Amino acid sequence: MTITQPDLSVFETLESEVRSYCRGWPVVFDRAQGSRMYDEDGHAYLDFFAGAGSLNYGHNNPVLKRALLDYLERDGVTHGLDMSTTAKRSFLRAFQELVLRPRDLPYKVMFPGPTGTNAVESALKLARKVKGREAIVSFTNAFHGMSLGSLAVTGNAFKRAGAGVPLVHGTPMPFDNYFDGTVPDFLWFERLLEDQGSGLNRPAAVIVETVQGEGGINVARPEWLRALKALCERQDMLLIVDDIQMGCGRTGAFFSFEEAGITPDIVTVSKSISGYGLPMSLCLFRPELDIWEPGEHNGTFRGNNPAFVTATAALETYWTDGPAMEKQTRARGEQIEQALISITEENLADVKEYRGRGLVWGLEFHAKDRAARVARRAFELGLLIETSGPEGEVVKLLPALTVTPDELDEGLSVLARAVRETA
């Protein structure tokens, strides 16, 4: 692909140096549909990034777009704070009927604000309010958001340093397989909890991702998650599952914790809950935990009604027959896994490991800078992929759930070529 030098001057002179993704993809994108994005010169890029997991149903999904346009054309409410609206009612009913009730989940639904970190902040506040304790336990290589409370339970040193103040009341524990199987699960954690001299304040809650996306596609085993839930129950701690990136069908089932057969006390959801890339998040919790006072946690943009509209359309389109979507995602995941096996066998000396679930996969290299070089070459060949892990050592694959088998084959072939050409 020949890419002409785009005019980036206004971005480089006016926009903050904090921008990041645009540095790896130095073109000006103009439109997008399905699993493809197009720059202003008409070049097509196959998207295995999906808005960092916010576009599980692809760009400008036609069913969701039609629902949104119809709503806007009839002057439907766009901004509603936490007022009752027809759009919110439709979403709540669809969420109850298509997601909560079939899974026998008893959750109340809170709209804490438009982003994932808003949901995490509300979950942490609620856990502390319920238990009357301040400490929260998180895990190595976790990522939960960029606001101060969320950063306090995030592992990445670079992101934590951006806070500029001490990040307190959070204690990290080893994630699944952190010690490569040499230490029994939760040995250190439970020893600290039971030792009156450990210095660990009794935690209000534990927050965990079932698959650590930003942390390097680290997949927790179902038995590890079940053991964590049992530990929380024994030690009077709430279990918070952060399903912001791995929920909404990313791992197969609607919630990523379903495979483990657990019911968390609190669940955070965002990214693809709106289905269209519109900002929206949820904090779900057991009814007995709902001790909020009216207005105790609020936000101007927690009532994003256009997002309610597209979220309802997404649920009614893709989750009315839940097993069908889950089966398709698992099949697409097996297709990716087979390709990663082939890439690994072809590059045995270079690839350290591949891992994933559903439609989230990672390819880790021994050389820490290799993933970035692979992603850069993939972009030159027309494929959008990002890196993850504490040192950016993992190539991260996050295609839309609606990606076709042919599109997957195309992108995986480009990935294999990029790996080959960066050896």
Short mmCIF file of all heavy atoms in Angstrom, two decimals, residues 330-364:
data_model
loop_
_atom_site.label_atom_id
_atom_site.label_comp_id
_atom_site.label_asym_id
_atom_site.label_seq_id
_atom_site.Cartn_x
_atom_site.Cartn_y
_atom_site.Cartn_z
N ARG A 330 -16.97 -18.04 19.45
CA ARG A 330 -16.03 -19.12 19.77
C ARG A 330 -15.44 -19.73 18.49
O ARG A 330 -14.24 -20.07 18.45
CB ARG A 330 -16.71 -20.19 20.61
CG ARG A 330 -17.12 -19.68 21.99
CD ARG A 330 -17.58 -20.81 22.91
NE ARG A 330 -18.14 -20.29 24.14
CZ ARG A 330 -17.43 -19.81 25.17
NH1 ARG A 330 -16.10 -19.78 25.08
NH2 ARG A 330 -18.02 -19.36 26.26
N ALA A 331 -16.25 -19.84 17.45
CA ALA A 331 -15.74 -20.38 16.18
C ALA A 331 -14.71 -19.45 15.57
O ALA A 331 -13.66 -19.89 15.08
CB ALA A 331 -16.91 -20.60 15.21
N ARG A 332 -14.98 -18.15 15.62
CA ARG A 332 -14.02 -17.18 15.09
C ARG A 332 -12.73 -17.22 15.94
O ARG A 332 -11.62 -17.08 15.41
CB ARG A 332 -14.60 -15.77 15.13
CG ARG A 332 -15.90 -15.57 14.35
CD ARG A 332 -15.69 -15.51 12.86
NE ARG A 332 -16.88 -15.01 12.22
CZ ARG A 332 -17.91 -15.77 11.80
NH1 ARG A 332 -17.86 -17.09 11.97
NH2 ARG A 332 -18.96 -15.22 11.22
N GLY A 333 -12.88 -17.42 17.23
CA GLY A 333 -11.73 -17.52 18.11
C GLY A 333 -10.86 -18.72 17.78
O GLY A 333 -9.61 -18.63 17.81
N GLU A 334 -11.48 -19.83 17.46
CA GLU A 334 -10.73 -21.02 17.06
C GLU A 334 -9.98 -20.79 15.76
O GLU A 334 -8.86 -21.27 15.58
CB GLU A 334 -11.68 -22.21 16.92
CG GLU A 334 -12.25 -22.70 18.26
CD GLU A 334 -13.36 -23.72 18.09
OE1 GLU A 334 -13.64 -24.11 16.92
OE2 GLU A 334 -13.95 -24.12 19.10
N GLN A 335 -10.58 -19.99 14.88
CA GLN A 335 -9.92 -19.64 13.62
C GLN A 335 -8.65 -18.83 13.90
O GLN A 335 -7.59 -19.07 13.29
CB GLN A 335 -10.89 -18.85 12.75
CG GLN A 335 -10.39 -18.55 11.34
CD GLN A 335 -11.43 -17.80 10.51
OE1 GLN A 335 -12.60 -17.72 10.89
NE2 GLN A 335 -11.01 -17.23 9.41
N ILE A 336 -8.74 -17.88 14.83
CA ILE A 336 -7.56 -17.09 15.20
C ILE A 336 -6.51 -17.98 15.85
O ILE A 336 -5.32 -17.89 15.54
CB ILE A 336 -7.96 -15.95 16.15
CG1 ILE A 336 -8.82 -14.90 15.43
CG2 ILE A 336 -6.71 -15.28 16.73
CD1 ILE A 336 -9.28 -13.77 16.31
N GLU A 337 -6.95 -18.85 16.74
CA GLU A 337 -6.00 -19.70 17.46
C GLU A 337 -5.20 -20.57 16.49
O GLU A 337 -3.98 -20.73 16.63
CB GLU A 337 -6.72 -20.57 18.48
CG GLU A 337 -5.76 -21.41 19.32
CD GLU A 337 -6.46 -22.16 20.44
OE1 GLU A 337 -7.70 -22.29 20.39
OE2 GLU A 337 -5.77 -22.63 21.36
N GLN A 338 -5.87 -21.14 15.50
CA GLN A 338 -5.16 -21.97 14.53
C GLN A 338 -4.11 -21.16 13.76
O GLN A 338 -3.01 -21.64 13.49
CB GLN A 338 -6.16 -22.61 13.56
CG GLN A 338 -7.04 -23.68 14.20
CD GLN A 338 -6.22 -24.77 14.87
OE1 GLN A 338 -5.31 -25.34 14.26
NE2 GLN A 338 -6.54 -25.06 16.12
N ALA A 339 -4.46 -19.93 13.42
CA ALA A 339 -3.50 -19.08 12.72
C ALA A 339 -2.30 -18.74 13.61
O ALA A 339 -1.15 -18.72 13.15
CB ALA A 339 -4.18 -17.79 12.26
N LEU A 340 -2.57 -18.48 14.89
CA LEU A 340 -1.47 -18.17 15.82
C LEU A 340 -0.58 -19.38 16.06
O LEU A 340 0.63 -19.25 16.26
CB LEU A 340 -2.03 -17.64 17.14
CG LEU A 340 -2.77 -16.30 17.06
CD1 LEU A 340 -3.21 -15.85 18.45
CD2 LEU A 340 -1.89 -15.22 16.42
N ILE A 341 -1.17 -20.57 16.04
CA ILE A 341 -0.37 -21.79 16.14
C ILE A 341 0.59 -21.87 14.96
O ILE A 341 1.79 -22.16 15.12
CB ILE A 341 -1.28 -23.03 16.20
CG1 ILE A 341 -2.02 -23.09 17.54
CG2 ILE A 341 -0.47 -24.31 15.99
CD1 ILE A 341 -3.07 -24.18 17.62
N SER A 342 0.08 -21.60 13.76
CA SER A 342 0.93 -21.65 12.57
C SER A 342 2.04 -20.60 12.62
O SER A 342 3.20 -20.88 12.28
CB SER A 342 0.08 -21.43 11.31
OG SER A 342 -0.87 -22.47 11.16
N ILE A 343 1.69 -19.38 13.07
CA ILE A 343 2.70 -18.33 13.18
C ILE A 343 3.76 -18.72 14.19
O ILE A 343 4.97 -18.52 13.98
CB ILE A 343 2.04 -16.99 13.57
CG1 ILE A 343 1.17 -16.46 12.42
CG2 ILE A 343 3.09 -15.94 13.96
CD1 ILE A 343 0.34 -15.24 12.77
N THR A 344 3.34 -19.31 15.30
CA THR A 344 4.28 -19.73 16.34
C THR A 344 5.22 -20.82 15.82
O THR A 344 6.44 -20.77 16.05
CB THR A 344 3.52 -20.23 17.58
OG1 THR A 344 2.70 -19.17 18.09
CG2 THR A 344 4.49 -20.69 18.67
N GLU A 345 4.66 -21.79 15.12
CA GLU A 345 5.48 -22.89 14.60
C GLU A 345 6.49 -22.39 13.57
O GLU A 345 7.61 -22.89 13.48
CB GLU A 345 4.58 -23.96 13.99
CG GLU A 345 3.77 -24.73 15.03
CD GLU A 345 2.78 -25.69 14.41
OE1 GLU A 345 2.53 -25.59 13.18
OE2 GLU A 345 2.23 -26.55 15.14
N GLU A 346 6.09 -21.36 12.81
CA GLU A 346 6.98 -20.80 11.80
C GLU A 346 8.07 -19.93 12.42
O GLU A 346 9.15 -19.75 11.85
CB GLU A 346 6.17 -19.97 10.79
CG GLU A 346 6.99 -19.40 9.64
CD GLU A 346 6.15 -18.54 8.72
OE1 GLU A 346 4.91 -18.63 8.74
OE2 GLU A 346 6.74 -17.74 7.96
N ASN A 347 7.80 -19.39 13.61
CA ASN A 347 8.73 -18.46 14.25
C ASN A 347 9.04 -18.91 15.68
O ASN A 347 8.98 -18.13 16.64
CB ASN A 347 8.14 -17.05 14.27
CG ASN A 347 7.79 -16.52 12.90
OD1 ASN A 347 8.61 -15.89 12.25
ND2 ASN A 347 6.56 -16.78 12.45
N LEU A 348 9.38 -20.18 15.83
CA LEU A 348 9.57 -20.76 17.15
C LEU A 348 10.59 -20.00 17.99
O LEU A 348 10.44 -19.87 19.20
CB LEU A 348 10.00 -22.23 17.03
CG LEU A 348 8.87 -23.25 16.85
CD1 LEU A 348 9.44 -24.64 16.66
CD2 LEU A 348 7.92 -23.21 18.04
N ALA A 349 11.63 -19.50 17.37
CA ALA A 349 12.68 -18.81 18.12
C ALA A 349 12.26 -17.43 18.58
O ALA A 349 12.87 -16.86 19.50
CB ALA A 349 13.94 -18.72 17.27
N ASP A 350 11.24 -16.88 17.96
CA ASP A 350 10.86 -15.49 18.23
C ASP A 350 9.62 -15.36 19.12
O ASP A 350 9.55 -14.47 19.96
CB ASP A 350 10.59 -14.75 16.92
CG ASP A 350 11.79 -14.80 15.98
OD1 ASP A 350 12.92 -14.64 16.47
OD2 ASP A 350 11.60 -15.01 14.77
N VAL A 351 8.63 -16.23 18.91
CA VAL A 351 7.37 -16.14 19.64
C VAL A 351 7.50 -16.81 21.00
O VAL A 351 7.89 -17.97 21.10
CB VAL A 351 6.22 -16.78 18.84
CG1 VAL A 351 4.94 -16.75 19.67
CG2 VAL A 351 6.00 -16.04 17.52
N LYS A 352 7.18 -16.08 22.04
CA LYS A 352 7.22 -16.63 23.39
C LYS A 352 5.96 -17.40 23.72
O LYS A 352 6.00 -18.50 24.28
CB LYS A 352 7.41 -15.49 24.41
CG LYS A 352 7.51 -15.96 25.84
CD LYS A 352 7.78 -14.79 26.78
CE LYS A 352 7.88 -15.27 28.22
NZ LYS A 352 8.13 -14.12 29.14
N GLU A 353 4.79 -16.82 23.34
CA GLU A 353 3.52 -17.47 23.68
C GLU A 353 2.38 -16.79 22.95
O GLU A 353 2.46 -15.60 22.62
CB GLU A 353 3.29 -17.37 25.20
CG GLU A 353 2.08 -18.13 25.71
CD GLU A 353 1.86 -17.96 27.21
OE1 GLU A 353 2.44 -17.02 27.80
OE2 GLU A 353 1.10 -18.75 27.79
N TYR A 354 1.31 -17.53 22.69
CA TYR A 354 0.05 -16.93 22.25
C TYR A 354 -1.00 -17.33 23.27
O TYR A 354 -0.93 -18.39 23.88
CB TYR A 354 -0.33 -17.40 20.84
CG TYR A 354 -0.65 -18.87 20.75
CD1 TYR A 354 -1.94 -19.34 20.99
CD2 TYR A 354 0.33 -19.80 20.42
CE1 TYR A 354 -2.24 -20.70 20.92
CE2 TYR A 354 0.05 -21.14 20.36
CZ TYR A 354 -1.24 -21.58 20.62
OH TYR A 354 -1.52 -22.92 20.57
N ARG A 355 -2.01 -16.49 23.47
CA ARG A 355 -3.03 -16.78 24.47
C ARG A 355 -4.27 -15.93 24.20
O ARG A 355 -4.18 -14.87 23.58
CB ARG A 355 -2.51 -16.53 25.88
CG ARG A 355 -1.85 -15.17 26.08
CD ARG A 355 -1.17 -15.05 27.44
NE ARG A 355 -0.55 -13.74 27.60
CZ ARG A 355 0.73 -13.50 27.39
NH1 ARG A 355 1.55 -14.48 27.02
NH2 ARG A 355 1.23 -12.27 27.56
N GLY A 356 -5.41 -16.39 24.66
CA GLY A 356 -6.64 -15.63 24.49
C GLY A 356 -7.87 -16.44 24.74
O GLY A 356 -7.82 -17.63 25.11
N ARG A 357 -9.02 -15.81 24.51
CA ARG A 357 -10.34 -16.43 24.64
C ARG A 357 -11.28 -15.71 23.69
O ARG A 357 -11.19 -14.49 23.52
CB ARG A 357 -10.91 -16.26 26.05
CG ARG A 357 -10.51 -17.30 27.08
CD ARG A 357 -11.13 -16.98 28.43
NE ARG A 357 -12.59 -16.98 28.38
CZ ARG A 357 -13.37 -16.45 29.32
NH1 ARG A 357 -12.85 -15.86 30.37
NH2 ARG A 357 -14.68 -16.50 29.21
N GLY A 358 -12.20 -16.45 23.07
CA GLY A 358 -13.18 -15.80 22.21
C GLY A 358 -12.50 -15.01 21.12
O GLY A 358 -11.72 -15.55 20.33
N LEU A 359 -12.78 -13.70 21.07
CA LEU A 359 -12.18 -12.84 20.06
C LEU A 359 -11.26 -11.79 20.68
O LEU A 359 -11.26 -10.62 20.28
CB LEU A 359 -13.27 -12.19 19.20
CG LEU A 359 -13.76 -13.09 18.06
CD1 LEU A 359 -14.97 -12.48 17.35
CD2 LEU A 359 -12.64 -13.37 17.06
N VAL A 360 -10.46 -12.23 21.64
CA VAL A 360 -9.36 -11.40 22.15
C VAL A 360 -8.15 -12.32 22.29
O VAL A 360 -8.18 -13.32 22.99
CB VAL A 360 -9.71 -10.73 23.51
CG1 VAL A 360 -10.20 -11.74 24.54
CG2 VAL A 360 -8.51 -9.95 24.03
N TRP A 361 -7.08 -11.98 21.57
CA TRP A 361 -5.89 -12.82 21.54
C TRP A 361 -4.63 -11.97 21.59
O TRP A 361 -4.63 -10.82 21.15
CB TRP A 361 -5.87 -13.71 20.28
CG TRP A 361 -6.90 -14.79 20.36
CD1 TRP A 361 -8.23 -14.68 20.02
CD2 TRP A 361 -6.72 -16.11 20.86
NE1 TRP A 361 -8.87 -15.87 20.27
CE2 TRP A 361 -7.98 -16.77 20.78
CE3 TRP A 361 -5.61 -16.82 21.34
CZ2 TRP A 361 -8.15 -18.10 21.18
CZ3 TRP A 361 -5.78 -18.14 21.75
CH2 TRP A 361 -7.03 -18.75 21.67
N GLY A 362 -3.60 -12.56 22.13
CA GLY A 362 -2.31 -11.89 22.20
C GLY A 362 -1.20 -12.79 21.71
O GLY A 362 -1.26 -14.02 21.87
N LEU A 363 -0.20 -12.18 21.10
CA LEU A 363 0.98 -12.89 20.61
C LEU A 363 2.19 -12.20 21.22
O LEU A 363 2.50 -11.06 20.89
CB LEU A 363 1.03 -12.83 19.08
CG LEU A 363 2.10 -13.64 18.36
CD1 LEU A 363 1.88 -15.14 18.56
CD2 LEU A 363 2.11 -13.31 16.87
N GLU A 364 2.87 -12.91 22.12
CA GLU A 364 4.00 -12.32 22.85
C GLU A 364 5.32 -12.78 22.26
O GLU A 364 5.49 -13.95 21.92
CB GLU A 364 3.94 -12.69 24.33
CG GLU A 364 5.06 -12.06 25.14
CD GLU A 364 4.97 -12.33 26.63
OE1 GLU A 364 4.02 -13.02 27.06
OE2 GLU A 364 5.86 -11.86 27.37
#
